[in-house]
Amino acid sequence: MAKKYERPIIIKVQTGMMNKFGSSPYYSRKIRTEIDGVAISDLVDKFGSPLFVFSEKSLRQKYRAYYNSFSTRYPNITFGWSYKTNYLPAICSVLHQEGAIAEVVSEMEYDKARGLGIPGNKIIYNGPFKNLRALEKAVKEKAMINIDHFDEIYDLEKIADKLNKKIKVGMRVNMDTGIYPQWSRFGLNLDSGQAMDAVKRMVSKGKLILNGLHCHIGTYILDTNAYAVEIEKMIKFGYEIQDKFEMKIEYYDIGGGFPSKIKLKGTYQEPDVTNPSIDEYAESITTALFRNLKGGDLPQVYIETGRGIIDEAGYLITSIVTSKRLPDGRKAYVADAGINLLYTAFWYKYNIEIDRQVDGTNEPSIVYGPLCMNIDIIEEGRLLPPMEKGTRLILSPVGAYNVTQWMQFIEYRPNIVLIGENRELDIIREAEDLSDITRREKLPGRLKLKE
Ligand SMILES: *Cc1c(COP(=O)(O)O)cnc(C)c1O
């Protein structure tokens, strides 16, 4: 094969012995030839590239690690799987098998959970928009509805009238926990008295019975103490309501937000250094529960962690399509997957592993996706070795938020494969073809091209 001409460039190579920082970054590279014992080459041969791969083993292990960490410290713990983080039926079903109930934030997700056989009373229904029809369905099916705003109170009161019954509801609150910017757009504000006003409204009408409090302070929260503040404020509020209005708060839903082991753009240290362990979150949270609950009270506690459980179970295999030299001297690659499949690329710095040994020094490189779109960049500035067309990159972790927030833009979405605990290989979402894209499109007869 003829070699392509490349303009020579000069880059500074820092050679030398291994030192306390490890070997020179100009030669170090991360190689991955398999996922859970299945060869990358086999996966691509069978299912194509790009390809999302999920590890059932790692998903179950992570769930159990979280569950055990909390349930050994507090007796009434239930996890609600945050559907929006990843609502592939196979992923949800693994977590439901492990004992998680469903946490949904829209009618679509609610229907999805019901479709997977989850009964209404095992669905936590959150979110700022619940239409009247969905609310009525959720009430009839006895879902745990966490009210987000005043209009939802009025809607639920109408439904209570229509069905001629009182409805048990929870309420989402927001508050200052030391995490900024504060997520104040969801739920009713506790610090300002707004949340108490909402309770008074419910009590005065007598149609809704408040039995739960919910809060979700944000995502990728690195401060374990923020949860302790959240819990202290919620429980104090809960007792205040109980004392004033003779309502019993039966559950506290403390939301999600635990980080995964992914480096955020703009951070210097590795997640292993910056991120508290699962046990540290569990310790902070359960200590705050025991410190603030009155003797003998052990209400149900729900945890809605999404990212923390699923992110590291997901990989994306993508292939190098070509490389070129940019005028500024940087090496540029085009890969067959980009931000169309990797919504989290905007703030994540993925682990990048390659499927083979390659020779040559590493260079600052930029990896573009396949889109005709200037912002389609997976990685800029990392030191990568010279890679030929066909080299596979394995990006991780990508299990959270990508396969729900991906976008339909000029490309088909690829296969998603689940590797079972005994290395079973199952497609859990089939690659799209043109019929998926055009199925709902309509062409008025008068616009059809004449023969
Ligand atoms: C998104 C969301 C979660 C999950 O958040 P993570 O940061 O992925 O753990 C939990 N609860 C609610 C209400 C959410 O909106």
Side-chain angles (χ1 to χ4, degrees):
M1 204 173 71
K3 285 214 163 160
K4 256 193 323 192
Y5 173 75
E6 261 200 25
R7 179 166 72 87
I9 55 145
I10 299 172
I11 50 169
K12 185 167 176 256
V13 177
Q14 277 148 357
T15 52
M17 305 291 285
M18 281 262 276
N19 57 27
K20 66 177 176 173
F21 301 110
S23 59
S24 161
Y26 290 89
Y27 287 104
S28 68
R29 51 208 53 170
K30 298 193 232 166
I31 312 277
R32 173 186 279 277
T33 54
E34 49 80 39
I35 298 171
D36 283 4
V38 182
I40 301 296
S41 52
D42 287 352
L43 287 166
V44 175
D45 287 349
K46 266 207 180 105
F47 305 107
S49 169
L51 179 69
F52 275 104
V53 180
F54 282 88
S55 159
E56 185 175 338
K57 189 166 108 196
S58 120
L59 179 56
R60 288 188 191 272
Q61 275 174 358
K62 203 31 116 22
Y63 179 86
R64 287 173 199 168
Y66 270 101
Y67 183 75
N68 292 338
S69 203
F70 283 89
S71 64
T72 51
R73 290 177 165 90
Y74 185 85
N76 299 324
I77 289 275
T78 300
F79 279 67
W81 173 238
S82 160
Y83 265 46
K84 78 172 190 291
T85 311
N86 186 323
Y87 45 56
L88 291 168
I91 298 296
C92 296
S93 297
V94 167
L95 293 165
H96 292 318
Q97 265 186 1
E98 291 288 334
I101 62 170
E103 187 268 336
V104 305
V105 290
S106 71
E107 181 180 24
M108 185 273 272
E109 289 191 340
Y110 186 91
D111 292 345
K112 232 166 183 271
R114 293 288 293 115
L116 288 176
I118 306 301
N121 67 3
K122 296 224 161 104
I123 300 177
I124 304 170
Y125 192 3
N126 291 327
F129 169 55
K130 311 178 186 82
N131 71 55
L132 202 59
R133 174 188 61 212
L135 268 180
E136 185 172 332
K137 178 166 57 184
V139 167
K140 284 180 178 154
E141 296 177 350
K142 300 195 162 50
M144 275 174 270
I145 301 167
N146 287 322
I147 287 171
D148 190 84
H149 50 72
F150 276 95
D151 278 293
E152 230 161 64
I153 296 179
Y154 312 147
D155 281 349
L156 282 162
E157 286 171 350
K158 274 184 223 149
I159 293 168
D161 279 341
K162 182 172 164 194
L163 303 179
N164 195 25
K165 66 172 202 176
K166 292 189 179 190
I167 303 171
K168 278 191 175 181
V169 292
M171 178 170 70
R172 177 160 178 174
V173 293
N174 67 67
M175 64 190 82
D176 185 354
T177 58
I179 297 295
Y180 307 106
Q182 206 180 311
W183 279 26
S184 53
R185 59 160 289 188
F186 302 109
L188 294 140
N189 188 261
L190 206 148
D191 306 311
S192 70
Q194 189 185 41
M196 187 51 96
D197 289 344
V199 178
K200 285 180 188 154
R201 156 75 194 206
M202 289 186 231
V203 171
S204 71
K205 292 287 167 182
K207 293 169 195 204
L208 305 182
I209 303 160
L210 185 73
N211 73 334
L213 290 175
H214 169 229
C215 183
H216 173 62
I217 55 178
T219 193
Y220 212 96
I221 304 291
L222 294 178
D223 176 10
T224 57
N225 189 55
Y227 290 97
V229 175
E230 172 200 343
I231 285 163
E232 175 174 352
K233 285 186 165 185
M234 274 213 290
I235 293 179
K236 284 212 167 104
F237 184 58
Y239 282 128
E240 201 183 329
I241 296 168
Q242 283 184 201
D243 293 346
K244 269 196 180 128
F245 308 112
E246 291 170 12
M247 282 173 164
K248 175 94 185 134
I249 299 300
E250 294 165 335
Y251 71 84
Y252 289 93
D253 177 346
I254 62 175
F258 308 137
S260 61
K261 288 235 163 77
I262 177 70
K263 211 167 140 76
L264 296 183
K265 282 188 174 170
T267 56
Y268 176 68
Q269 286 177 311
E270 294 300 320
D272 276 333
V273 179
T274 52
N275 296 10
S277 67
I278 299 172
D279 280 331
E280 287 171 276
Y281 288 98
E283 190 62 31
S284 170
I285 285 167
T286 53
T287 303
L289 286 168
F290 286 119
R291 197 185 304 132
N292 293 289
L293 288 168
K294 293 185 181 161
D297 273 358
L298 291 170
Q300 180 66 47
V301 169
Y302 293 106
I303 297 176
E304 304 171 339
T305 174
R307 185 192 305 282
I309 286 180
I310 186 67
D311 214 11
E312 286 141 59
Y315 302 82
L316 178 66
I317 303 174
T318 176
S319 306
I320 297 295
V321 177
T322 190
S323 66
K324 43 176 100 161
R325 184 69 64 185
L326 300 182
D328 64 9
R330 273 184 306 169
K331 184 88 180 216
Y333 294 96
V334 179
D336 61 6
I339 57 161
N340 51 327
L341 304 181
L342 291 169
Y343 186 82
T344 55
F346 293 119
W347 54 91
Y348 274 11
K349 228 173 152 48
Y350 303 110
N351 299 317
I352 299 183
E353 297 165 302
I354 36 183
D355 69 334
R356 60 194 72 178
Q357 284 289 351
V358 288
D359 294 329
T361 49
N362 293 357
E363 288 184 57
S365 305
I366 178 160
V367 183
Y368 295 112
L371 307 182
C372 271
M373 199 184 193
N374 208 31
I375 59 164
D376 186 21
I377 298 169
I378 300 175
E379 169 60 46
E380 42 191 337
R382 193 168 319 194
L383 291 171
L384 293 173
M387 296 182 291
E388 294 181 343
K389 177 178 164 70
T391 306
R392 323 270 184 221
L393 305 183
I394 299 98
L395 308 178
S396 65
V398 301
Y401 295 105
N402 289 307
V403 301
T404 49
Q405 296 192 76
W406 53 3
M407 62 174 166
Q408 180 59 68
F409 178 63
I410 75 170
E411 289 287 330
Y412 299 123
R413 284 175 281 203
N415 278 320
I416 304 180
V417 167
L418 180 70
I419 303 179
E421 289 182 299
N422 300 312
R423 298 191 198 172
E424 305 95 326
L425 295 179
D426 290 294
I427 293 184
I428 57 174
R429 191 177 195 276
E430 235 172 6
E432 293 170 346
D433 63 21
L434 189 62
S435 67
D436 294 300
I437 316 300
T438 54
R439 195 162 71 87
R440 302 254 177 210
E441 295 171 352
K442 307 267 185 240
L443 183 62
R446 64 192 168 76
L447 298 180
K448 284 199 174 124
L449 293 180
K450 305 271 181 322
E451 298 283 301

